[in-house]
Amino acid sequence: MGTSHEIRSSWKARLMGRVAGIVGRGLLATTRGKVIYECEGPEVIEPRVICLWHNRILGGSSSARTLLPHRQAVVLTSASKDGAVLEAAIGCFGLGSVRGSSSRRGAAALVALKREIEAGRHVCITPDGPRGPRYRVQPGAVKLASITGAPLVPVRVIHESFWELKTWDGFQIPKPFSRVAVTFGQEIEVPRELREEELVSFQKRLEEAMGESQDLGRDDDH
């Protein structure tokens, strides 16, 4: 019998993710993308903890091509079968994966992400995932930044026109030939050994820095 600490996967999940990733890459190839850096650019020397909302993963993946020539990056995905699908999908964009979440293998995932940063890789986290609430930052990303000294980078992804799935996060799929803007915001430096009240303060600060993307980019037929 499985436990809440195991990593779940199957060949069906991996196949589904692979197909979704190939389709997603093809779709993004039709869009007009723009990547803006308000922080240090992709040639930054030190790794970062990059944060974007769970429902903007697809649009955000369009920026991978600007990052990967300079530094490898991994994405935190859940230990569930949905995480296995996402792991295979993001692999199509050249991104690696670390499996775990607040509900499964949280401590192990934090250790694994710390190792990735120490190895010089960027870490990408959806701080409201894997189950929400939508647009609410959970403490994991801030804790990781505090432990490693790697700054947080809030990412705002705006889809000019998109379809919205009936999922907990309202997952957004940009429409073909529409515009996608990805903005890497200013770094947020997190001190070591945070007290509980400081942790909550930085969660709110990160949430506010990411919040600009919440209600933008909608049209009447999303």
Side-chain angles (χ1 to χ4, degrees):
M1 180 179 297
T3 71
S4 62
H5 301 289
E6 70 180 2
I7 295 176
R8 301 181 181 181
S9 185
S10 69
W11 70 267
K12 290 182 179 179
R14 292 190 295 271
L15 177 61
M16 186 183 303
R18 182 70 178 170
V19 170
I22 292 172
V23 171
R25 280 191 62 178
L27 174 62
L28 289 176
T30 73
T31 61
R32 291 164 289 165
K34 180 170 68 172
V35 181
I36 302 167
Y37 286 93
E38 297 175 348
C39 59
E40 291 190 62
E43 297 180 9
V44 59
I45 296 175
E46 299 297 332
R48 300 289 188 255
V49 180
I50 299 170
C51 303
L52 73 162
W53 296 129
H54 196 275
N55 65 1
R56 311 298 169 95
I57 292 174
L58 180 55
S61 297
S62 64
S63 64
R65 66 182 183 277
T66 70
L67 288 173
L68 296 182
H70 307 284
R71 185 180 300 277
Q72 291 182 313
V74 298
V75 179
L76 176 64
T77 62
S78 77
S80 67
K81 288 184 178 179
D82 287 345
V85 173
L86 182 56
E87 177 183 37
I90 62 175
C92 296
F93 294 89
L95 297 165
S97 176
V98 170
R99 302 289 303 280
S101 65
S102 57
S103 56
R104 286 197 181 95
R105 302 187 73 254
L110 194 63
V111 171
L113 292 172
K114 180 175 179 289
R115 289 174 180 164
E116 295 290 342
I117 288 175
E118 290 172 345
R121 300 181 184 93
H122 290 311
V123 166
C124 303
I125 294 178
T126 55
D128 59 342
R131 299 179 180 176
R134 174 169 38 175
Y135 303 140
R136 290 293 177 266
V137 169
Q138 303 303 312
V142 177
K143 287 181 179 178
L144 179 64
S146 177
I147 291 170
T148 63
L152 299 166
V153 175
V155 177
R156 302 184 295 275
V157 181
I158 300 178
H159 301 137
E160 175 191 45
S161 182
F162 60 90
W163 293 291
E164 184 174 290
L165 302 185
K166 296 185 182 300
T167 54
W168 70 264
D169 61 345
F171 193 87
Q172 295 182 8
I173 301 175
K175 293 183 178 180
F177 309 106
S178 63
R179 289 179 293 178
V180 178
V182 181
T183 301
F184 290 78
Q186 292 185 349
E187 294 97 337
I188 299 175
E189 300 283 349
V190 181
R192 306 272 187 167
E193 300 180 1
L194 283 179
R195 296 191 300 271
E196 185 64 30
E197 62 270 21
E198 291 176 317
L199 175 63
V200 173
S201 175
F202 274 96
Q203 285 177 239
K204 292 180 178 178
R205 182 176 170 185
L206 176 59
E207 197 170 285
E208 290 172 358
M210 297 172 66
E212 186 177 340
S213 67
Q214 291 184 21
D215 299 313
L216 299 179
R218 293 178 176 272
D219 61 12
D220 295 331
D221 188 33
H222 60 260

